[in-house]
Amino acid sequence: MLDIQKIRADFPILSQTVNGKPLVYFDNGATSQKPQVVIDAEVKYYNEINANIHRGVHTLSQLATDAYEVARGKVKDHINAKHAHEVLFTSGTTHGINLVSNGFASILKPGDEVVVSSLEHHSNIVPWQMLCEKTGAILKVIPINDNGELIIEEFDKLLSEKTKIVTVNHISNALGVINPIKYIIDKAHAVGAAVLIDGAQAVPHLKPDVQELDCDFYAFSGHKMCGPTGTGILYGKEEWLNKLPPYQGGGEMIKEVTFEKTTYADLPHKFEAGTPNIAGGIVLGTAIDYLNEIGFDKIHEYENELLEHATKRLNEIEGIRIYGNTKNKASVVSFNIDGIHPYDVGSIIDKLGIAVRTGHHCAQPIMNFFCIPGTIRASFSFYNTKEEIDAMIDAVKKAQTMLS
C-alpha cells in the first residue's frame, strides 16, 4: 500500500496553487513532475562534479564519467538489457526513433515494407514516412476498432517477407490502450522483420523486460518517468546496433579520424556523438532508483484504482464519451462532452486549478478515425489522489453547465 501523502511531499510543485486553487496535475502523459531527490541530484552534479566525460584524465572528468556510466548500468538493469553497451543515451523517444529510422535508410530498398499502427504518436509516424519517401519503401498501417484497440487479424495479414520493420507503441499516449506487443514482436520476427517499440508512455507505469519481450529496439523518454527533460534511452540489440550506421558524426563517436578515412567507436559511443546531457543522464538514474524504491507493482495497482475511479465518475455525467474503452489500459482517460469543444473545457477547468491536456495529442490519425477535433485527456500518476479526481469531476460539471 502506497503512503500517498508521504509520496506527494516528495514533489514540491504539488503543494502550490494555480489560479488561486490547489494544483491538480493530470497532464502526466505529457511530462511527469519531479521529486526533490531528482532536483537535488541535478544541483549536486553542477555543484560538485561538472566536467566533460570520457575525455579527461583530471579528477572531475573521471568522477562525471563514472557517474554517467553507473547511470547507464542502472538503465541496463532496469530494462533487463543483456549488455550495458546496448543502452544508448538520447534526448528522448523522438531522438531514438529517428536514430533507428535513419539507420534503416541503408537497409531498405524500393518495395520493402514498414508497418506502423493507427495508434502512434506523430514521432512514430513521420520518421517512417520520411524513410519511405527516401528509400521507396511502402508504409503499411495496422487499423483500430471503435474501442481504440489494434485489429490484430489485420496486422497478421499485413506481414510478409517484404516487411522489414514493425514499429508500434507499447501504450497509446492518446487513449491509454496497452498494445499486445509480445504477440506483435513474435509475429514480426516470424517473417524476419525487426521490431521497434515506442515505450514513452509505458515506462512511467511498468518495467519493460527487453529480453523477455525480445524486441530489437525499445525507445523511451526520461521526463515522463520523473527524470529530467532532454533525456531518453534507446535500447538496441547488439547485433542491430552493430549493423546500423552512425546517426551523427562528431567527437566521441570515432575511433580514428584522417582525411582519407574515419573509423567509428565501439558501442555505445558509436551513436553518442558530441557532449551529451551529462547531468540529465546521471539524474535519470536517480529517477529510476526513486521509482524502483516505491515499486512498480504498487504503482501499477494504485494507478489502476485511480483509473477505475475516474472512469466510474466520468460515466456518471450525462453526455460524456470516453475513447479507448478497453480493459487493458494504463491510467489515462480521454473523453469529450457532447457538443462542446475540448479546448473550451480545458480552459475553464484550468481556472479551477485542474491541469489536463486538450487537443489531438500528436495523434491526429486517431482523432480522424473518431471524427473529432481532439479530446480532453486526464493522465494519472502514483502521486495523484481520488480526491483530485473528484475535484476534476466537479470542474468538468461546471464547465458543462457554463458551455451548454
Side-chain angles (χ1 to χ4, degrees):
M1 192 73 176
L2 298 182
D3 185 342
I4 301 304
Q5 294 309 313
K6 181 176 181 297
I7 288 172
R8 286 179 64 82
D10 292 340
F11 293 81
I13 200 170
L14 298 181
S15 62
Q16 71 173 302
T17 59
V18 172
N19 295 319
K21 304 288 185 180
L23 170 64
V24 174
Y25 185 79
F26 286 162
D27 196 19
N28 295 288
T31 195
S32 66
Q33 297 301 342
K34 320 306 174 193
Q36 189 65 53
V37 66
V38 164
I39 298 168
D40 290 344
E42 181 121 7
V43 173
K44 180 179 174 66
Y45 167 79
Y46 285 115
N47 275 341
E48 298 181 10
I49 61 169
N50 178 43
N52 216 326
I53 57 173
H54 300 138
R55 306 176 191 182
V57 297
H58 63 82
T59 300
L60 288 187
S61 178
Q62 292 186 23
L63 288 172
T65 299
D66 290 346
Y68 195 72
E69 293 306 324
V70 165
R72 193 191 306 272
K74 289 179 180 179
V75 177
K76 176 254 183 190
D77 293 342
H78 182 72
I79 64 174
N80 193 32
K82 190 173 183 180
H83 307 290
H85 59 252
E86 294 177 316
V87 174
L88 311 181
F89 282 109
T90 67
S91 64
T93 308
T94 299
H95 180 181
I97 293 170
N98 276 273
L99 187 157
V100 177
S101 66
N102 181 78
F104 264 75
S106 65
I107 295 174
L108 298 187
K109 61 184 185 299
D112 286 342
E113 294 177 355
V114 176
V115 175
V116 301
S117 91
S118 296
L119 286 176
E120 300 311 306
H121 188 282
H122 295 164
S123 63
N124 202 27
I125 298 174
V126 178
W128 305 106
Q129 289 177 323
M130 295 168 68
L131 174 66
C132 289
E133 289 172 0
K134 184 185 299 184
T135 62
I138 300 167
L139 192 71
K140 299 284 187 174
V141 183
I142 311 167
I144 59 175
N145 61 26
D146 289 340
N147 291 327
E149 302 163 316
L150 295 180
I151 304 176
I152 292 301
E153 296 82 4
E154 296 301 318
F155 165 67
D156 293 342
K157 294 175 186 177
L158 290 176
L159 293 174
S160 73
E161 71 279 355
K162 294 182 179 179
T163 310
K164 300 307 176 185
I165 186 165
V166 175
T167 175
V168 299
N169 56 37
H170 198 158
I171 296 176
S172 164
N173 75 298
L175 304 179
V177 175
I178 302 175
N179 289 318
I181 61 168
K182 179 57 178 169
Y183 178 90
I184 289 170
I185 292 165
D186 290 345
K187 293 291 285 190
H189 283 169
V191 298
V195 182
L196 182 148
I197 302 298
D198 171 357
Q201 295 295 328
V203 291
H205 310 293
L206 53 84
K207 288 180 68 169
D209 185 327
V210 294
Q211 290 194 71
E212 182 180 342
L213 291 171
D214 196 29
C215 55
D216 302 290
F217 305 97
Y218 195 101
F220 60 94
S221 301
H223 72 96
K224 295 181 191 290
M225 57 185 305
C226 298
T229 55
T231 63
I233 297 295
L234 174 67
Y235 158 80
K237 284 182 179 176
E238 181 179 45
E239 61 189 278
W240 271 110
L241 294 179
N242 281 327
K243 189 182 300 185
L244 296 184
Y247 178 46
Q248 294 176 312
E252 189 68 22
M253 51 74 65
I254 54 85
K255 186 171 288 183
E256 184 175 355
V257 175
T258 69
F259 285 111
E260 290 70 39
K261 181 176 177 59
T262 291
T263 55
Y264 304 126
D266 296 330
L267 298 176
H269 307 297
K270 170 184 170 184
F271 292 102
E272 295 182 349
T275 299
N277 183 353
I278 303 167
I282 293 169
V283 178
L284 177 55
T286 304
I288 288 173
D289 287 343
Y290 176 81
L291 291 172
N292 280 317
E293 187 174 331
I294 293 172
F296 276 86
D297 288 342
K298 292 180 180 178
I299 288 173
H300 179 71
E301 181 181 359
Y302 179 69
E303 289 180 346
N304 274 345
E305 291 180 19
L306 295 177
L307 175 63
E308 290 174 6
H309 184 70
T311 303
K312 177 178 178 294
R313 292 301 318 275
L314 282 168
N315 280 327
E316 293 170 358
I317 304 174
E318 187 175 350
I320 290 281
R321 178 178 178 185
I322 296 175
Y323 301 88
N325 286 301
T326 177
K327 291 182 178 179
N328 201 21
K329 281 185 67 173
S331 53
V332 174
V333 180
S334 202
F335 65 96
N336 275 332
I337 305 173
D338 287 347
I340 302 176
H341 197 285
Y343 178 85
D344 295 335
V345 178
S347 297
I348 287 176
I349 69 175
D350 173 61
K351 303 299 185 204
L352 300 171
I354 315 293
V356 295
R357 179 71 48 161
T358 63
H360 54 65
H361 317 300
C362 292
Q364 286 182 326
I366 295 176
M367 306 305 146
N368 292 339
F369 175 82
F370 287 112
C371 300
I372 54 177
T375 68
I376 305 154
R377 185 189 69 184
S379 47
F380 312 119
S381 185
F382 59 89
Y383 46 69
N384 292 129
T385 68
K386 292 178 182 178
E387 290 76 18
E388 289 182 313
I389 290 172
D390 292 337
M392 180 189 74
I393 297 298
D394 290 341
V396 168
K397 288 178 179 178
K398 288 180 182 177
Q400 185 181 35
T401 299
M402 292 174 62
L403 295 169
S404 294

